Amino acid sequence: MTDMSLAPGSTLGIVGGGQLGRMIALAAANYGLKVHVYAPDAASPAFDVAAETTCAAYDDAEALARFAASVDAVTYEFENIPRETADLLARHAPLRPSADALSTTQDRLSEKSFINGLGIATAPFRQVDTPDDLARALEAIGLPAVLKTRRFGYDGKGQRIIRTAEEGDRNAIFAEFGGAPLILEGFVPFEREVSVVAARSPDGSFAAFDLCENEHRDHILALTRVPAPNLSEETARIAVEIARRIAEALDYVGILAVEMFLVRDEAGERLIVNEIAPRVHNSGHWTIEGAVTSQFAQHVRAVCGWPLGDASRVAGASVEMRNLIGDDIDAWQALLAESGAHLHLYGKGDARPGRKMGHVTRVIPAS
Amino acid sequence: MTDMSLAPGSTLGIVGGGQLGRMIALAAANYGLKVHVYAPDAASPAFDVAAETTCAAYDDAEALARFAASVDAVTYEFENIPRETADLLARHAPLRPSADALSTTQDRLSEKSFINGLGIATAPFRQVDTPDDLARALEAIGLPAVLKTRRFGYDGKGQRIIRTAEEGDRNAIFAEFGGAPLILEGFVPFEREVSVVAARSPDGSFAAFDLCENEHRDHILALTRVPAPNLSEETARIAVEIARRIAEALDYVGILAVEMFLVRDEAGERLIVNEIAPRVHNSGHWTIEGAVTSQFAQHVRAVCGWPLGDASRVAGASVEMRNLIGDDIDAWQALLAESGAHLHLYGKGDARPGRKMGHVTRVIPAS
């Protein structure tokens, strides 16, 4: 325990009002904390479980300052907060994770450069600021490749695969992105995606949840399985080691997720880091029932400067988490009736296609 | 599913703003419900996790009507709500448990008469409305005996043991209670106290958690152990059967707890019902980590008219729940650092002696 730690009864500020903020707020309430949620949308699900709320834009300097001054620490539930906003918040309260960790990971170019700088593999990439850059990058990287915005992308938004040289001209493709800074990434022939969700404290303690395997549908996480099957113990160990090195290099505080591609070729299994999420992560939702400490409780512990909890999986069980996307939520009654299915709904009004409405976790005891 | 069931996105009204209301609210939020808490104290812990709050007295007819009209169902976290308040609420929204269940169980005299009417044993008792009643009751029941207020008692408040015939005169003892309606109860020479926490749905489904053993200190629950050790399976079965018969006779909806004394004499083990709590109960807090479905989630399922969840204990574990009372909370840092200890704090500001500030649950896996 350091003087950077919060006492029970303190107020935790959360920037962002979606389901991740809501679940952080629920975990914080369990530890006797008050929560103040800052979000621009009046219909934010996290507002419904917060003691205090501020509904204002992410560039409203006055509202941000008032918010940060009223809380004992600030954390955030998503990475698309402008650097200036993070700096402003940090002037009034401890910001965890830090503005530096946020800005390194919210830009795909700085993120991949940082990861490579640690000697950890990523897909090959090139910065693309002009149509000419794009032509040169395609030549260097080859096809297929993926052109992405450097910032503000999520769930497949802000990206486009280029499969063949005939696919329209460089100027037209470049123009599709409206002049946003871009990055071209080589296509990794991966077998599957895995992720490590882990926590680090202000005192440097580190605790990782078990490596999990993720399946996406339409670029949105559909299913997480833990433990990741058919994977060597050595690969699982390396994955956690990668997450630890990243967390240490960022002097990270809180939960972070590292998404990785598992590549299997004649040389064996290897891992390539896809991206870092500086926040609690959808692929960690299984921990609510499947681990001794949930990722949300662990995040609260870390940002409060408290001892990290036990991150082990419950008693040898295997765990499966499925997202309920759009009208998947119509199955809520059947899921409530299914023995051992743990249903979580996020309190969102409108089940639009592609919208994450809830999730369901099944814990399969060791047989 | 019946037309008495609530849809996700509905609003659940909770009367009472203490830790029980707070934990019901957290469970409701997990199912995507909005919560509206009604309580008279502005510092109510449940207010901090509610989408809507009403701070008003329990006899404020206008505020009660407005509250109940704004929600889809009303439940409560404690039984000391006037019958008139319950009736008023029930005119505007489904009240679960019902006003009848509440009024039967909130008065020790009607409660014990009701239980005896089912052929279930209680301590012997007599109604005491005058000093003469008290003299007659003492003669009938013998010493020692316990004189209690019929209503509004909790945690040992509103009761007095009479051990010897010399102990002051009847008029003086009667006067101590200020003219409140009283009940004299015979003293049960019990080995220990056990309780059944169980749920019943509007459709009559019933699910009980495992029988637990409770230890009190200064009349306040200190420790709950599950399963209750050194008890025959037959006694555990009878305990659940008693809870089921009580729930059915009350046409009960929600979680109820039945506290029982275990008496062991030459005739063997037998159970005597001490009291019924028409609400989630302190002796059910272990279910948050120790059962597949927590009592709070189960209560929400029942009052929403949803299928009850699996009430079994997790994978053969034994579970221990300790209350943190008054300055017990000072150990919060050590408890956070203890592997496998699940700490819950209620967000109360002032750790007065005797005040329930939180609890800690330890799940000991089957060895």
Side-chain angles (χ1 to χ4, degrees):
Chain A
M1 212 67 47
T2 68
D3 56 2
M4 298 172 73
S5 76
L6 274 63
S10 300
T11 300
L12 178 63
I14 301 174
V15 179
Q19 67 270 17
L20 300 180
R22 182 175 170 111
M23 289 187 276
I24 296 169
L26 294 177
N30 178 62
Y31 286 133
L33 296 166
K34 289 190 201 306
V35 166
H36 186 157
V37 172
Y38 186 109
D41 180 353
S44 294
F47 281 170
D48 288 343
V49 296
E52 301 286 336
T53 63
T54 298
C55 188
Y58 290 133
D59 60 0
D60 182 337
E62 202 190 317
L64 287 164
R66 211 165 37 230
F67 160 74
S70 77
V71 302
D72 298 292
V74 176
T75 189
Y76 41 89
E77 59 135 33
F78 80 134
E79 62 270 44
N80 292 332
I81 302 169
R83 167 80 205 212
E84 301 70 41
T85 299
D87 286 335
L88 193 159
L89 293 167
R91 279 199 291 279
H92 296 277
L95 179 68
R96 297 171 179 167
S98 72
D100 281 348
L102 177 70
S103 84
T104 301
T105 56
Q106 75 183 173
D107 179 314
R108 295 182 193 281
L109 184 69
S110 65
E111 179 182 56
K112 285 196 158 58
S113 306
F114 161 76
I115 295 165
N116 285 176
L118 297 175
I120 297 168
T122 64
F125 63 92
R126 285 293 183 285
Q127 180 169 358
V128 173
D129 292 328
T130 65
D132 283 355
D133 286 347
L134 179 56
R136 275 191 295 271
L138 281 165
E139 204 163 309
I141 284 174
L143 289 174
V146 192
L147 188 63
K148 300 179 176 178
T149 56
R150 280 170 51 184
R151 300 179 56 172
F152 305 128
Y154 69 97
D155 287 350
K157 293 184 173 69
Q159 56 180 274
R160 178 202 209 285
I161 298 181
I162 305 175
R163 293 178 197 282
T164 67
E166 290 72 40
E167 230 175 286
D169 81 5
R170 306 297 166 249
N171 288 305
I173 291 174
F174 186 81
E176 281 173 23
F177 286 86
L182 302 175
I183 182 172
L184 188 76
E185 299 180 3
F187 204 82
V188 176
F190 62 93
E191 185 186 280
R192 42 204 165 120
E193 195 203 282
V194 296
S195 60
V196 176
V197 176
R200 189 169 177 275
S201 296
D203 71 2
S205 318
F206 177 87
F209 295 103
D210 283 356
L211 185 68
C212 55
E213 175 182 316
N214 303 313
E215 284 181 27
H216 292 76
R217 203 168 305 137
D218 302 330
H219 296 282
I220 303 174
L221 182 66
L223 172 67
T224 296
R225 251 189 229 103
V226 194
N230 305 319
L231 204 82
S232 72
E233 277 183 36
E234 177 63 5
T235 298
R237 195 192 60 75
I238 291 170
V240 170
E241 210 38 50
I242 287 171
R244 183 200 302 268
R245 285 167 58 206
I246 288 171
E248 283 177 2
L250 292 170
D251 195 17
Y252 195 85
V253 175
I255 287 277
L256 92 171
V258 183
E259 298 178 14
M260 306 176 198
F261 297 128
L262 178 75
V263 177
R264 196 184 298 275
D265 53 22
E266 46 299 336
E269 290 172 358
R270 62 201 162 86
L271 294 166
I272 287 180
V273 171
N274 179 30
E275 62 182 48
I276 303 166
R279 53 169 168 81
V280 292
H281 193 255
N282 199 165
S283 73
H285 289 1
W286 66 272
T287 59
I288 298 176
E289 291 87 10
V292 176
T293 307
S294 82
Q295 69 164 340
F296 302 102
Q298 193 76 302
H299 185 69
V300 171
R301 284 169 172 258
V303 302
C304 287
W306 295 346
L308 296 182
D310 181 349
S312 40
R313 207 155 17 97
V314 291
S318 63
V319 188
E320 192 186 278
M321 187 289 306
R322 275 178 199 275
N323 274 340
L324 301 175
I325 296 169
D327 59 14
D328 289 351
I329 197 184
D330 295 346
W332 67 275
Q333 290 167 310
L335 292 168
L336 278 172
E338 182 189 326
S339 178
H342 296 278
L343 178 66
H344 299 259
L345 300 176
Y346 304 149
K348 297 181 181 175
D350 182 16
R352 293 192 296 272
R355 194 171 197 205
K356 292 174 180 171
M357 302 300 293
H359 71 270
V360 60
T361 300
R362 295 177 176 91
V363 179
I364 302 110
S367 55
Chain B
M1 214 65 53
T2 67
D3 57 2
M4 297 171 75
S5 76
L6 274 64
S10 300
T11 300
L12 178 62
I14 301 174
V15 178
Q19 69 270 14
L20 300 179
R22 182 174 169 112
M23 289 187 274
I24 296 169
L26 295 176
N30 176 63
Y31 286 134
L33 296 166
K34 289 191 203 307
V35 165
H36 186 157
V37 172
Y38 187 108
D41 180 354
S44 295
F47 281 171
D48 287 344
V49 296
E52 301 287 337
T53 63
T54 297
C55 188
Y58 289 135
D59 59 0
D60 182 337
E62 202 190 318
L64 287 164
R66 212 166 36 233
F67 160 73
S70 78
V71 303
D72 298 293
V74 176
T75 189
Y76 42 91
E77 60 135 32
F78 80 135
E79 60 271 44
N80 292 332
I81 302 168
R83 167 80 204 214
E84 303 68 42
T85 300
D87 286 334
L88 193 161
L89 293 167
R91 281 199 290 279
H92 296 277
L95 178 69
R96 295 170 181 169
S98 70
D100 281 347
L102 177 69
S103 82
T104 300
T105 56
Q106 75 184 173
D107 179 313
R108 294 183 195 278
L109 184 69
S110 65
E111 181 182 54
K112 285 197 160 56
S113 306
F114 160 76
I115 295 165
N116 285 175
L118 297 175
I120 297 168
T122 64
F125 63 90
R126 287 292 183 285
Q127 180 169 356
V128 174
D129 292 329
T130 65
D132 284 352
D133 287 347
L134 178 54
R136 274 190 294 271
L138 282 166
E139 202 165 311
I141 285 173
L143 292 173
V146 192
L147 188 63
K148 300 179 175 177
T149 55
R150 281 170 51 185
R151 301 178 56 172
F152 306 129
Y154 70 97
D155 286 351
K157 294 184 174 67
Q159 54 181 275
R160 177 202 210 284
I161 298 183
I162 305 177
R163 292 179 199 280
T164 67
E166 290 70 43
E167 228 174 288
D169 81 5
R170 307 297 165 248
N171 287 304
I173 293 175
F174 186 82
E176 281 174 24
F177 287 87
L182 303 175
I183 183 173
L184 187 77
E185 298 180 3
F187 205 82
V188 176
F190 62 94
E191 184 186 282
R192 41 205 165 117
E193 197 203 282
V194 297
S195 60
V196 176
V197 176
R200 189 169 177 274
S201 296
D203 71 1
S205 318
F206 177 88
F209 295 104
D210 284 356
L211 184 68
C212 53
E213 175 182 316
N214 303 312
E215 283 181 26
H216 292 76
R217 203 169 304 139
D218 301 330
H219 296 284
I220 302 173
L221 182 68
L223 172 66
T224 296
R225 254 189 226 102
V226 193
N230 305 321
L231 204 80
S232 71
E233 277 183 37
E234 177 64 3
T235 299
R237 192 193 61 75
I238 290 170
V240 170
E241 210 39 48
I242 287 172
R244 183 200 302 268
R245 284 167 58 206
I246 289 171
E248 283 179 1
L250 292 170
D251 194 18
Y252 196 86
V253 176
I255 287 275
L256 94 171
V258 182
E259 298 178 14
M260 306 176 199
F261 296 128
L262 179 74
V263 176
R264 196 184 298 274
D265 54 23
E266 45 301 334
E269 289 172 0
R270 63 201 161 86
L271 294 166
I272 288 180
V273 172
N274 178 30
E275 61 181 52
I276 304 166
R279 52 168 169 81
V280 293
H281 194 256
N282 198 165
S283 74
H285 290 0
W286 65 272
T287 59
I288 297 176
E289 292 86 11
V292 176
T293 307
S294 82
Q295 68 164 342
F296 302 102
Q298 193 76 302
H299 185 69
V300 171
R301 284 169 173 257
V303 301
C304 288
W306 296 347
L308 296 181
D310 183 348
S312 40
R313 206 155 18 99
V314 293
S318 63
V319 188
E320 192 186 277
M321 187 288 306
R322 274 178 199 276
N323 273 339
L324 301 175
I325 296 169
D327 59 14
D328 289 351
I329 197 183
D330 295 346
W332 67 274
Q333 290 167 310
L335 291 169
L336 278 171
E338 181 188 326
S339 178
H342 297 278
L343 179 65
H344 300 261
L345 300 176
Y346 305 148
K348 297 180 182 177
D350 181 16
R352 293 192 295 273
R355 194 173 196 205
K356 292 175 179 170
M357 301 301 293
H359 71 269
V360 60
T361 301
R362 296 175 174 91
V363 180
I364 303 108
S367 55

